[in-house]
Amino acid sequence: LLSTGSIQCWGLNNTGQLGDGTTAFSSPPVTVSGITTATAISAGPNHTCALLSTGSIQCWGSNSRGQLGDGSTTDSNTPVNVSGITDATAVSAGGGHTCARLSTGSIQCWGDNNYGELGDGTTTDRTTPVNVSGITNAAAVSTDRNHTCALLDTGSIQCWGYNGNGELGDGSTTDSNTPVTVSGGITTATAISAGTYHACARLSSGSIQCWGENYGQLGDGTTTSSTTPVNVSGITNAAAISAGGRHTCALLSSGSIQCWGENNYGELGDGTTTDRTTPVTVSGIP
């Protein structure tokens, strides 16, 4: 997202996810067609969405499950308008679905719903937005492959969708097509990030808690998956959090970054390819 309100993308483009009107791979950035008033951007695996200053949302790329929200399942290599949304304040693109927080504090989602990740009480795919059941006070929303989580203005967290690894955090491994509350007494969360099969929250104390699948990405010194939140070891001054596939990273108030989890490709940034079950500091970032 550029300061001008335009967007540039690069990389794989087989479904039009770069938004430049082609399906050609590009290693240098290309400009997304027609967007000049974007205020936020979110990239899923095969589609991308932008929040505009008007409160509307435009998406492009793969649309096999309706994740572009335009009422069709036709891929688009240029942005299309998400139907009916005019007051969004945030957007999050997941695996085959997308969700938006509205100015009212409600959440709407669209696209793939095999595991209930749209939160509307069904497992029916939707090509246009539907309301997430029971949420009227969301402060933030985060999606990933097959589940979604929302931070509420109370400081608690609710999640819905796939739960085979405990990524909903409710103490079970039962999928849910409506929101369930993350267990463990989380009432002071200030940020939420959903990874592929896990999720993490930043608390107001600066500490981080994570739950779900664990190849080390929960950061508690083990590789034991957890259906309820566990504390990430040693972090007390987190400013931001981002959960990935099988790794997690945190920006600290000092300006440094720490990461943990799987490290096959060097994704932890510590100069090794050794998996870590507790946080390590990313090299070269003060």
Side-chain angles (χ1 to χ4, degrees):
L1 170 65
L2 306 186
S3 60
T4 59
S6 62
I7 296 167
Q8 291 191 326
C9 298
W10 52 96
L12 189 67
N13 196 27
N14 60 311
T15 60
Q17 57 263 53
L18 301 190
D20 67 338
T22 78
T23 53
F25 167 89
S26 182
S27 55
V30 294
T31 299
V32 174
S33 300
I35 291 184
T36 59
T37 60
T39 60
I41 182 126
S42 182
N46 296 298
H47 77 294
T48 313
C49 294
L51 171 66
L52 306 186
S53 60
T54 58
S56 61
I57 294 171
Q58 291 190 327
C59 298
W60 55 96
S62 174
N63 198 27
S64 59
R65 306 305 293 269
Q67 60 262 49
L68 301 190
D70 68 338
S72 80
T73 54
T74 304
D75 295 349
S76 181
N77 56 24
T78 56
V80 295
N81 289 310
V82 175
S83 300
I85 291 186
T86 59
D87 64 334
T89 62
V91 63
S92 183
H97 73 297
T98 311
C99 293
R101 179 196 180 271
L102 307 187
S103 60
T104 58
S106 61
I107 294 173
Q108 291 191 328
C109 299
W110 54 95
D112 185 10
N113 200 24
N114 275 356
Y115 299 98
E117 54 262 56
L118 303 189
D120 68 338
T122 78
T123 53
T124 304
D125 292 357
R126 308 289 186 174
T127 61
T128 57
V130 292
N131 288 311
V132 174
S133 300
I135 291 185
T136 59
N137 61 333
V141 63
S142 182
T143 64
D144 207 274
R145 184 170 183 175
N146 296 123
H147 76 292
T148 310
C149 291
L151 169 66
L152 305 186
D153 62 13
T154 59
S156 61
I157 295 169
Q158 291 190 324
C159 299
W160 55 96
Y162 182 71
N163 198 27
N165 303 282
E167 46 267 81
L168 302 189
D170 67 339
S172 80
T173 53
T174 303
D175 299 345
S176 181
N177 57 24
T178 56
V180 295
T181 299
V182 174
S183 303
I186 291 184
T187 58
T188 62
T190 60
I192 178 69
S193 183
T196 302
Y197 294 118
H198 75 296
C200 295
R202 179 196 180 273
L203 306 186
S204 60
S205 62
S207 61
I208 296 170
Q209 291 190 328
C210 299
W211 55 95
E213 182 189 62
N214 195 19
Y215 284 80
Q217 65 261 46
L218 302 190
D220 67 340
T222 78
T223 54
T224 303
S225 298
S226 180
T227 61
T228 58
V230 296
N231 290 309
V232 174
S233 299
I235 291 185
T236 59
N237 61 335
I241 182 77
S242 183
R246 287 178 171 171
H247 75 296
T248 311
C249 292
L251 169 67
L252 306 187
S253 59
S254 62
S256 62
I257 296 171
Q258 291 192 325
C259 299
W260 55 97
E262 200 168 78
N263 199 25
N264 286 351
Y265 301 99
E267 51 263 62
L268 303 189
D270 67 339
T272 78
T273 54
T274 303
D275 295 352
R276 309 288 186 175
T277 61
T278 57
V280 292
T281 300
V282 173
S283 302
I285 297 180

